[in-house]
Amino acid sequence: MTKFRYRIRYRKFSPFHLLSHLDMYRMWERVFRRVRIPVLYSQGFNPRPLFSFPFATPLGVESKAEYFEVLCGEPMLPYELYEKLSSEVPNELGVEEVCALAPFDPPLQKILRGIVYTFFFRTSLPKRSLILPEGVTLLESVEETSSVISFLFEGERLLWNPLKFASLLTTEYCYPFPERILKERILV
């Protein structure tokens, strides 16, 4: 049987950032069923759609860069798949991009090099030097005293929970807990 693989990037903004990883899986399963996309299913007693969600964004973290891969039984043009999916999801879960993958393309979790998270604070933070754990890099702050700071997580810290990192900023550097955390992008 021929399999056609697609990688889908979507956003996950409030209030959907409070849905669990399993809830998101079920939601996408329903969306594919509603738009009648021929998804392949696993074999066995309890067949499941062949979706692959490479990593879960922690509950409560918004995202511009959520990804999953799907195996379909029939070829589709990426823009057709994009339009069908976009018509069925709310704007806060909007589909950003659909890419067709070759059978030899590695899965996203094998080529992932880093994740950029942006922390939004209610008040401006004084500029101070931070001694960050290895694998976490300060990318940018918008201005001299900013309420927005971005960090790059790489290496062993790649899948580190940004909420735990926010707690570290609170306890170690006396920063307030961020009002919002946004997964900006991934680096491949």
Side-chain angles (χ1 to χ4, degrees), residues 156-179:
E156 289 183 18
R157 303 289 185 198
L158 177 67
L159 299 178
W160 210 28
N161 187 328
L163 295 169
K164 288 184 180 179
F165 183 71
S167 295
L168 175 81
L169 289 175
T170 302
T171 57
E172 297 290 321
Y173 304 110
C174 300
Y175 278 16
F177 198 81
E179 184 175 56

Side-chain angles (χ1 to χ4, degrees), residues 148-159:
V148 180
I149 303 174
S150 293
F151 295 95
L152 170 63
F153 291 68
E154 300 175 284
E156 289 183 18
R157 303 289 185 198
L158 177 67
L159 299 178

